[in-house]
Amino acid sequence: MAAAAPAAAAAFSEAPAASATAEPEAGDEDSREVRVLQSLRGKICEAKNLLPYLGPHKMRDCFCTINLDQEEVYRTQVVEKSLSPFFSEEFYFEIPRTFQYLSFYVYDKNVLQRDLRIGKVAIKKEDLCNHSGKETWFSLQPVDSNSEVQGKVHLELKLNELITENGTVCQQLVVHIKACHGLPLINGQSCDPYATVSLVGPSRNDQKKTKVKKKTSNPQFNEIFYFEVTRSSSYTRKSQFQVEEEDIEKLEIRIDLWNNGNLVQDVFLGEIKVPVNVLRTDSSHQAWYLLQPRDNGNKSSKTDDLGSLRLNICYTEDYVLPSEYYGSLKTLLLKSPDVQPISASAAYILSEICRDKNDAVLPLVRLLLHHDKLVPFATAVAELDLKDTQDANTIFRGNSLATRCLDEMMKIVGGHYLKVTLKPILDEICDSSKSCEIDPIKLKEGDNVENNKENLRYYVDKLFNTIVKSSMSCPTVMCDIFYSLRQMATQRFPNDPHVQYSAVSSFVFLRFFAVAVVSPHTFHLRPHHPDAQTIRTLTLISKTIQTLGSWGSLSKSKSSFKETFMCEFFKMFQEEGYIIAVKKFLDEISSTETKESSGTSEPVHLKEGEMYKRAQGRTRIGKKNFKKRWFCLTSRELTYHKQPGKDAIYTIPVKNILAVEKLEESSFNKKNMFQVIHTEKPLYVQANNCVEANEWIDVLCRVSRCNQNRLSFYHPSVYLNGNWLCCQETGENTLGCKPCTAGVPADIQIDIDEDRETERIYSLFTLSLLKLQKMEEACGTIAVYQGPQKEPDDYSNFVIEDSVTTFKTIQQIKSIIEKLDEPHEKYRKKRSSSAKYGSKENPIVGKAS
């Protein structure tokens, strides 16, 4: 087959040039910023065979966390009374900092005491690519303080020669421990670190100790210690040594980091070991070292009896070049909706060659959406779907490119729609303790099934009525696609009067509202995971709503429930009024009438969550000045409240925000802090972790980026005791000493960074070049051999409707990717050469014996 492509090239006309867009020469990126962006997405599926309690009640209440090194950035709901908890929780977030390990901890919830860590899965950053995009069972490893380390140490060693009083020469080792960076939080607070510095050999162990540094994860020690490492032959005292002269080759410096526990036991933070023979070719050695677990850390012989955890992990690291580099690729992708047939377009080809279609869908949808090209592209791929659909009852029920694109589109543009439609009722359900269990097997003692049915019906009716009256809030892009789907479905099945409704309801009810109801936390409709009883209530409501939508649209006389109790319950809704309401709603959201965006009449809800804010500055700095508050950001204002739903204590109009920037940890000895600089005193806020801080800074920058009088410079620290801690200027209104961070242009409601999405698409093409080559060869084979296909070939899995057009598109893709490879390779070389091994950016991974 490999020989077919050249033959095809002769048969085809010359592929046109990729694009006439003028782009910089490779190497021009040196003078401009290259953004390195990390993201993590995946799914915590389930655990199994967890260790039972020793007592009569063997079950556990389990939850799972995601940690960057030792910093928790995500937590699942609690699954009660199970040794094989099923979590099934998807996650996605940007990673704003460097890290060494990605860890997943399984906990046993404890109401009265600290939650018990059952076990963990720890994956080195460089090993994440080995698990990308596939579900894997990982054995849980034991958790102990000796293995829980993060951070790095800056060290300098020197070997001096000294002349003793009697004229002999001996050598002296000088150990300068300069600083540490990135030490973990202890009980949510910055630690009180100190270091022990030991010279260890076959017959000696000399130890010294630094001073304790208070409340910091980045201590500056700057302490020097001296050790005599060789003795003259005239030295006769042998209390510490077995030989008259030591062998330097066998000596090593060991540095242990500890958190000073004051009245409790000190906590081990990590260690490094550096052999003294690093000085054999140079009298001085200076480097950063990554802290390592202690000798016996995580080496328990019992590693298979803690249980296991099933995970799906996809970690990406993108090097985003300046915008002008992506002109040709962007142009080719944005032409996709106009290519005939659609299967020959660059966007469709990407979905064909990716190992997982979902990898391609997210950046494609976001890029096309950003340029108003999603509706024609989704319409074209949906039309391709319909060609293979034989039964109207199964329309858009598969997991195709079309359905995945629409799913992703609804998640991106439908967030505000869900908030204004579902959130008030979901809040009522989650804050209430009403039982809605109608399964006789699951009823608790004292439950009345008839009362539960009434409770459940009340919630279903309230939610259903809100949904069917919400058409004016439905985003225009969703309405436009629903209109296209409806028209195509009617043309495909002209004799089925109900297909025009089922084509729309299969998305808006089944894939949008029903999913959001059963997992409100995922759609940011609730701040925390609901408890087990509430999840059960939401599941029953979701099932009913989804069936009402499909049942109403198809006018079925029977429900599709397998459970007898659900069939009985659903009889309450088998009335003509529900069918009429569903059809009227589907008519409204799939019409071509222009709808006024709800965002013009009411503020768009952007983000909310619990954080700590510092008092506005009348009292002395202290822990008591940081108070937990509920923050809420809309397109109009930033507010904070004592609790969710309470009146605002403080309000900052968005138009008054002048800058949003990170705050140096040294300001208050607290991590993950940022400042909202506005027309009054700055608001200092501490987020719960680095991911959350990054998300708040990002959304606040986006919503305020067009404000007048935005600052160009800011102070990265605080004004205290008459001067700025960062630059020591004494005037409180002095111009900032650091340039403000330039925000990436993006839509306020739809956060889309088109360069980042195009870079992601470039990376996917690069990873899938072999499959792209096979597709190119398949086009050649089809063009050269026109006879009947006798048996499956390598290309039988590709959708190739027009081999000539597809071949030309592939040629364009390869040309563009090859051109983009040059600046990427140049940047990688520059980065690897600038990040010298042993630098702060590329620390030495010291041995752990």
Side-chain angles (χ1 to χ4, degrees), residues 285-341:
H285 170 77
Q286 182 176 182
W288 283 87
Y289 284 82
L290 274 179
L291 287 169
Q292 298 296 307
R294 199 151 50 179
D295 291 358
N296 61 343
N298 213 18
K299 291 187 179 179
S300 169
S301 59
K302 297 182 179 180
T303 57
D304 297 327
D305 56 359
L306 298 178
S308 51
L309 184 65
R310 183 161 61 96
L311 302 169
N312 189 327
I313 306 166
C314 183
Y315 166 78
T316 59
E317 184 177 64
D318 296 320
Y319 303 108
V320 184
L321 305 174
S323 295
E324 52 267 35
Y325 282 90
Y326 298 110
S328 296
L329 181 56
K330 212 179 295 182
T331 300
L332 184 63
L333 290 164
L334 294 176
K335 285 180 180 177
S336 293
D338 305 320
V339 175
Q340 294 290 337

Coordinates of all heavy atoms in Angstrom, one line a residue, residues 285-341:
H285 N 30.7 23.4 44.0 CA 29.6 22.8 43.3 C 28.3 23.5 43.9 O 28.1 23.6 45.1 CB 29.5 21.3 43.6 CG 28.2 20.7 43.2 ND1 27.9 20.4 41.9 CD2 27.1 20.3 43.9 CE1 26.7 19.9 41.8 NE2 26.2 19.8 43.0
Q286 N 27.5 24.1 43.0 CA 26.3 24.8 43.3 C 25.1 24.3 42.5 O 25.2 24.3 41.3 CB 26.5 26.3 43.2 CG 25.2 27.1 43.6 CD 25.5 28.6 43.6 OE1 24.6 29.4 43.9 NE2 26.7 29.0 43.1
A287 N 24.0 23.9 43.1 CA 22.8 23.4 42.3 C 21.6 23.4 43.2 O 21.6 23.5 44.4 CB 23.1 22.0 41.8
W288 N 20.4 23.3 42.5 CA 19.1 23.0 43.1 C 18.9 21.5 43.0 O 19.1 20.9 42.0 CB 18.0 23.8 42.4 CG 17.9 25.2 42.7 CD1 18.6 26.2 42.0 CD2 17.1 25.9 43.7 NE1 18.3 27.5 42.6 CE2 17.3 27.3 43.6 CE3 16.2 25.4 44.6 CZ2 16.7 28.2 44.4 CZ3 15.6 26.3 45.4 CH2 15.8 27.7 45.3
Y289 N 18.3 21.0 44.1 CA 18.0 19.6 44.2 C 16.5 19.4 44.6 O 16.0 20.1 45.4 CB 18.9 18.9 45.2 CG 20.3 18.6 44.8 CD1 21.3 19.6 45.0 CD2 20.7 17.3 44.4 CE1 22.6 19.3 44.6 CE2 22.0 17.1 44.0 CZ 22.9 18.1 44.1 OH 24.2 17.8 43.8
L290 N 15.9 18.4 43.9 CA 14.5 18.1 44.3 C 14.6 17.2 45.6 O 15.4 16.3 45.7 CB 13.8 17.2 43.2 CG 13.1 18.0 42.1 CD1 12.5 17.0 41.1 CD2 12.0 18.9 42.7
L291 N 13.7 17.6 46.6 CA 13.6 16.8 47.8 C 13.1 15.4 47.5 O 12.3 15.2 46.6 CB 12.7 17.5 48.8 CG 13.3 18.7 49.5 CD1 12.2 19.4 50.3 CD2 14.4 18.3 50.4
Q292 N 13.6 14.4 48.2 CA 13.3 13.0 47.9 C 12.7 12.4 49.2 O 12.9 12.9 50.3 CB 14.5 12.2 47.5 CG 15.1 12.7 46.2 CD 14.2 12.5 45.1 OE1 13.7 11.4 44.8 NE2 14.0 13.6 44.3
P293 N 11.9 11.3 49.1 CA 11.4 10.5 50.2 C 12.6 10.0 51.1 O 13.7 9.8 50.6 CB 10.6 9.4 49.6 CG 10.3 9.8 48.2 CD 11.5 10.6 47.8
R294 N 12.3 9.7 52.3 CA 13.4 9.1 53.2 C 13.7 7.7 52.8 O 12.9 7.1 52.1 CB 13.0 9.3 54.7 CG 14.1 9.1 55.6 CD 13.9 9.9 56.9 NE 12.6 9.6 57.5 CZ 12.2 10.2 58.6 NH1 13.0 11.1 59.3 NH2 11.0 9.9 59.2
D295 N 14.8 7.2 53.4 CA 15.2 5.8 53.0 C 14.1 4.8 53.0 O 14.0 4.0 52.0 CB 16.3 5.3 54.0 CG 17.6 6.1 53.8 OD1 17.6 7.0 53.0 OD2 18.5 5.9 54.6
N296 N 13.3 4.7 54.0 CA 12.3 3.7 54.1 C 10.9 4.2 53.6 O 9.9 3.6 53.8 CB 12.1 3.2 55.6 CG 11.7 4.3 56.5 OD1 11.8 5.5 56.1 ND2 11.2 4.0 57.7
G297 N 10.9 5.4 53.0 CA 9.6 5.9 52.5 C 9.0 5.1 51.5 O 9.5 4.7 50.5
N298 N 7.7 4.7 51.7 CA 6.9 4.0 50.8 C 7.5 2.7 50.3 O 7.3 2.3 49.2 CB 6.7 4.9 49.5 CG 5.3 4.7 48.9 OD1 4.4 4.1 49.5 ND2 5.2 5.1 47.7
K299 N 8.2 2.0 51.2 CA 8.7 0.7 50.9 C 8.1 -0.5 51.7 O 8.8 -1.4 52.1 CB 10.2 0.7 51.0 CG 11.0 1.6 50.0 CD 12.5 1.4 50.1 CE 13.1 2.3 49.1 NZ 14.6 2.2 49.1
S300 N 6.9 -0.3 52.0 CA 6.2 -1.3 52.8 C 6.1 -2.6 51.9 O 5.9 -2.5 50.7 CB 4.8 -0.8 53.2 OG 4.0 -1.9 53.7
S301 N 6.2 -3.7 52.6 CA 6.0 -5.0 51.9 C 4.6 -5.2 51.5 O 4.3 -6.1 50.6 CB 6.6 -6.1 52.7 OG 5.9 -6.2 54.0
K302 N 3.6 -4.6 52.2 CA 2.2 -4.8 51.9 C 1.7 -3.7 51.0 O 1.2 -2.6 51.4 CB 1.4 -4.7 53.2 CG 1.8 -5.8 54.2 CD 1.0 -5.8 55.5 CE 1.3 -6.9 56.4 NZ 0.5 -6.8 57.7
T303 N 1.8 -3.9 49.7 CA 1.3 -2.9 48.7 C 0.2 -3.5 47.9 O -0.4 -2.7 47.2 CB 2.5 -2.6 47.8 OG1 3.0 -3.8 47.1 CG2 3.6 -1.9 48.5
D304 N -0.2 -4.7 48.0 CA -1.2 -5.3 47.2 C -2.5 -5.5 47.9 O -3.5 -5.9 47.3 CB -0.8 -6.6 46.6 CG 0.4 -6.5 45.7 OD1 0.5 -5.5 45.0 OD2 1.2 -7.4 45.7
D305 N -2.6 -5.2 49.2 CA -3.8 -5.5 50.0 C -4.5 -4.2 50.3 O -5.4 -4.2 51.2 CB -3.4 -6.3 51.2 CG -2.4 -5.5 52.1 OD1 -1.9 -4.5 51.7 OD2 -2.0 -6.1 53.2
L306 N -4.2 -3.1 49.7 CA -4.9 -1.8 50.1 C -6.0 -1.6 49.1 O -6.9 -0.7 49.4 CB -3.9 -0.6 50.0 CG -2.8 -0.7 51.0 CD1 -1.9 0.5 50.8 CD2 -3.3 -0.7 52.5
G307 N -6.1 -2.3 48.0 CA -7.2 -2.1 47.0 C -6.6 -1.4 45.8 O -5.3 -1.3 45.7
S308 N -7.4 -1.0 44.9 CA -7.0 -0.4 43.6 C -8.0 0.6 43.2 O -9.1 0.7 43.6 CB -6.8 -1.5 42.5 OG -7.9 -2.3 42.4
L309 N -7.5 1.5 42.3 CA -8.3 2.6 41.8 C -8.2 2.7 40.3 O -7.1 2.6 39.7 CB -7.7 3.9 42.4 CG -8.4 5.2 42.1 CD1 -9.8 5.3 42.8 CD2 -7.6 6.4 42.7
R310 N -9.4 2.8 39.6 CA -9.4 2.9 38.2 C -9.5 4.4 37.8 O -10.4 5.1 38.2 CB -10.6 2.1 37.6 CG -10.7 2.1 36.1 CD -11.6 1.0 35.6 NE -12.9 1.1 36.1 CZ -13.9 1.6 35.4 NH1 -13.7 2.1 34.2 NH2 -15.1 1.7 35.9
L311 N -8.6 4.8 36.9 CA -8.5 6.2 36.5 C -8.3 6.3 35.0 O -7.8 5.4 34.3 CB -7.2 6.9 37.1 CG -7.1 6.9 38.7 CD1 -5.7 7.3 39.1 CD2 -8.2 7.8 39.3
N312 N -8.8 7.5 34.5 CA -8.5 7.9 33.1 C -7.9 9.2 33.2 O -8.5 10.2 33.7 CB -9.8 7.9 32.3 CG -9.6 8.1 30.8 OD1 -8.6 8.8 30.4 ND2 -10.4 7.5 30.0
I313 N -6.6 9.3 32.7 CA -5.9 10.6 32.9 C -5.4 11.0 31.5 O -4.9 10.2 30.7 CB -4.6 10.3 33.8 CG1 -5.1 9.7 35.1 CG2 -3.9 11.6 34.0 CD1 -3.9 9.1 35.9
C314 N -5.5 12.3 31.2 CA -5.0 12.9 30.0 C -4.3 14.2 30.4 O -5.0 15.2 30.7 CB -6.1 13.1 29.0 SG -5.4 13.8 27.4
Y315 N -3.0 14.2 30.4 CA -2.2 15.4 30.7 C -1.6 16.0 29.4 O -1.1 15.3 28.6 CB -1.1 15.1 31.7 CG 0.0 16.2 31.8 CD1 -0.3 17.3 32.6 CD2 1.2 16.1 31.2 CE1 0.7 18.3 32.8 CE2 2.2 17.1 31.3 CZ 1.9 18.2 32.1 OH 2.8 19.2 32.2
T316 N -1.7 17.3 29.3 CA -1.2 18.0 28.1 C -0.3 19.1 28.5 O -0.6 19.8 29.5 CB -2.3 18.5 27.1 OG1 -3.1 19.4 27.8 CG2 -3.1 17.3 26.6
E317 N 0.7 19.3 27.8 CA 1.6 20.5 27.9 C 1.8 21.1 26.6 O 2.4 20.5 25.7 CB 2.9 20.1 28.6 CG 3.9 21.2 28.9 CD 5.1 20.8 29.6 OE1 5.9 20.1 29.0 OE2 5.3 21.2 30.8
D318 N 1.3 22.3 26.4 CA 1.4 23.0 25.1 C 2.3 24.2 25.1 O 2.3 25.0 26.0 CB 0.0 23.5 24.6 CG -1.0 22.3 24.4 OD1 -0.5 21.3 23.9 OD2 -2.2 22.4 24.8
Y319 N 3.1 24.3 24.0 CA 4.0 25.5 23.9 C 3.3 26.4 22.8 O 3.4 26.1 21.6 CB 5.4 25.0 23.3 CG 6.1 24.1 24.2 CD1 6.2 22.7 23.9 CD2 6.6 24.5 25.5 CE1 6.9 21.8 24.7 CE2 7.2 23.5 26.3 CZ 7.4 22.2 25.9 OH 8.0 21.3 26.7
V320 N 2.6 27.4 23.3 CA 1.8 28.3 22.5 C 2.7 29.4 21.9 O 3.1 30.3 22.7 CB 0.6 28.8 23.2 CG1 -0.3 29.6 22.3 CG2 -0.2 27.7 23.8
L321 N 2.9 29.4 20.6 CA 3.7 30.4 20.0 C 2.8 31.7 19.8 O 1.6 31.7 20.0 CB 4.2 29.9 18.6 CG 4.9 28.6 18.6 CD1 5.2 28.2 17.2 CD2 6.2 28.7 19.4
P322 N 3.5 32.8 19.4 CA 2.7 34.0 19.1 C 1.7 33.7 17.9 O 1.9 32.8 17.1 CB 3.8 35.0 18.6 CG 5.0 34.6 19.3 CD 4.9 33.1 19.4
S323 N 0.6 34.5 17.9 CA -0.6 34.3 17.0 C -0.2 34.1 15.6 O -0.8 33.2 14.9 CB -1.6 35.4 17.1 OG -2.1 35.5 18.4
E324 N 0.8 34.9 15.1 CA 1.0 34.9 13.6 C 1.5 33.5 13.1 O 1.4 33.2 11.9 CB 2.0 36.0 13.3 CG 3.3 36.0 14.1 CD 3.2 36.9 15.3 OE1 2.2 37.0 15.9 OE2 4.3 37.5 15.6
Y325 N 2.0 32.7 14.0 CA 2.5 31.4 13.5 C 1.4 30.4 13.1 O 1.6 29.4 12.4 CB 3.3 30.7 14.6 CG 4.7 31.2 14.7 CD1 5.0 32.3 15.6 CD2 5.8 30.7 14.0 CE1 6.3 32.8 15.7 CE2 7.1 31.3 14.1 CZ 7.3 32.3 14.9 OH 8.6 32.8 15.0
Y326 N 0.2 30.7 13.6 CA -0.9 29.8 13.4 C -1.9 30.2 12.3 O -2.9 29.5 12.1 CB -1.7 29.6 14.7 CG -0.9 29.1 15.9 CD1 -0.6 29.9 16.9 CD2 -0.5 27.8 15.9 CE1 0.2 29.5 18.0 CE2 0.3 27.3 16.9 CZ 0.6 28.1 18.0 OH 1.3 27.7 19.0
G327 N -1.5 31.2 11.5 CA -2.4 31.7 10.5 C -2.8 30.6 9.5 O -4.0 30.5 9.2
S328 N -1.9 29.9 8.9 CA -2.2 28.9 7.9 C -3.1 27.8 8.4 O -4.0 27.4 7.8 CB -0.9 28.3 7.3 OG -0.2 29.3 6.6
L329 N -2.7 27.2 9.6 CA -3.5 26.1 10.2 C -4.9 26.6 10.5 O -5.9 25.9 10.3 CB -2.7 25.6 11.4 CG -3.4 24.4 12.1 CD1 -3.6 23.2 11.1 CD2 -2.6 23.9 13.3
K330 N -5.0 27.8 11.1 CA -6.3 28.3 11.5 C -7.2 28.5 10.2 O -8.3 28.1 10.3 CB -6.1 29.6 12.2 CG -7.1 29.9 13.3 CD -6.8 31.2 14.0 CE -5.5 31.2 14.7 NZ -5.2 32.5 15.4
T331 N -6.6 29.0 9.2 CA -7.3 29.3 7.9 C -7.9 28.0 7.4 O -9.0 27.9 7.0 CB -6.5 30.0 6.9 OG1 -6.0 31.2 7.5 CG2 -7.2 30.2 5.6
L332 N -7.0 26.9 7.3 CA -7.4 25.6 6.8 C -8.5 25.0 7.6 O -9.5 24.5 7.1 CB -6.2 24.7 6.8 CG -6.4 23.3 6.2 CD1 -6.8 23.4 4.7 CD2 -5.2 22.4 6.3
L333 N -8.4 25.1 8.9 CA -9.5 24.5 9.8 C -10.8 25.3 9.7 O -11.9 24.7 9.7 CB -9.0 24.6 11.3 CG -7.8 23.6 11.6 CD1 -7.2 24.0 13.0 CD2 -8.3 22.2 11.7
L334 N -10.7 26.6 9.6 CA -11.9 27.4 9.5 C -12.6 27.3 8.1 O -13.8 27.7 8.0 CB -11.6 28.9 9.8 CG -11.2 29.2 11.2 CD1 -10.8 30.6 11.4 CD2 -12.2 28.8 12.2
K335 N -11.9 26.7 7.1 CA -12.6 26.5 5.8 C -13.3 25.1 5.9 O -14.1 24.8 4.9 CB -11.5 26.4 4.7 CG -10.9 27.7 4.3 CD -9.9 27.5 3.2 CE -9.3 28.9 2.8 NZ -8.2 28.7 1.7
S336 N -13.2 24.4 6.9 CA -13.8 23.0 7.0 C -15.3 23.0 6.7 O -15.7 22.1 5.9 CB -13.5 22.4 8.4 OG -12.1 22.1 8.5
P337 N -16.1 23.9 7.2 CA -17.5 23.8 7.0 C -17.9 24.0 5.5 O -19.0 23.5 5.1 CB -18.1 25.0 7.8 CG -17.1 25.3 8.8 CD -15.8 25.0 8.2
D338 N -17.0 24.6 4.7 CA -17.3 24.8 3.3 C -16.8 23.7 2.4 O -17.0 23.8 1.2 CB -16.7 26.2 2.9 CG -17.1 27.3 3.7 OD1 -18.3 27.3 4.1 OD2 -16.3 28.2 4.1
V339 N -16.0 22.8 2.9 CA -15.4 21.7 2.1 C -16.5 20.7 1.7 O -17.3 20.3 2.6 CB -14.3 21.0 2.8 CG1 -13.7 19.8 2.0 CG2 -13.1 22.0 3.1
Q340 N -16.5 20.3 0.5 CA -17.5 19.3 0.0 C -16.7 18.1 -0.5 O -15.8 18.2 -1.4 CB -18.4 19.8 -1.1 CG -19.3 20.9 -0.7 CD -20.4 20.4 0.2 OE1 -20.7 19.2 0.2 NE2 -20.9 21.3 1.1
P341 N -16.9 16.9 0.0 CA -17.8 16.5 1.2 C -17.1 16.9 2.5 O -15.9 17.1 2.5 CB -17.9 15.0 1.1 CG -16.6 14.6 0.4 CD -16.2 15.7 -0.5

